[in-house]
Amino acid sequence: MIMGNDKREVVVRIKTQVYKLKHRRIEGFDDKSLLSACLINEIKYLFSLLDKDLQKKILNKPWLDE
């Protein structure tokens, strides 16, 4: 597991990648494109690095639903 500032950096990176994916979807790219698949896989990997409590908090964030 990661700790302290690293957690914050991982959460910021997840948020950044989620926004990139959102904008790709708005532009009409589907999730089967290579870049979208890479974004999705990176988000999943980063999410798995976090502890269960922080994962639950992130799942309730409005930016994740976008």
Side-chain angles (χ1 to χ4, degrees):
M1 288 294 158
I2 55 177
M3 304 179 107
N5 262 355
D6 292 336
K7 283 184 185 179
R8 181 174 295 157
E9 290 177 19
V10 169
V11 172
V12 168
R13 180 68 180 185
I14 290 172
K15 189 173 183 178
T16 300
Q17 299 307 77
V18 166
Y19 278 120
K20 286 181 185 177
L21 185 59
K22 173 189 167 196
H23 287 289
R24 285 189 57 76
R25 288 174 175 168
I26 289 171
E27 292 172 1
F29 292 97
D30 65 7
D31 290 342
K32 293 181 178 160
S33 68
L34 181 59
L35 182 55
S36 293
C38 290
L39 289 170
I40 291 167
N41 285 330
E42 182 177 355
I43 292 165
K44 287 179 182 179
Y45 171 73
L46 292 170
F47 188 77
S48 73
L49 294 177
L50 302 173
D51 59 59
K52 297 293 182 195
D53 291 335
L54 192 50
Q55 287 178 351
K56 287 179 185 177
K57 287 180 184 177
I58 288 178
L59 289 175
N60 292 325
K61 298 287 184 186
W63 50 261
L64 190 61
D65 292 337
E66 298 174 350

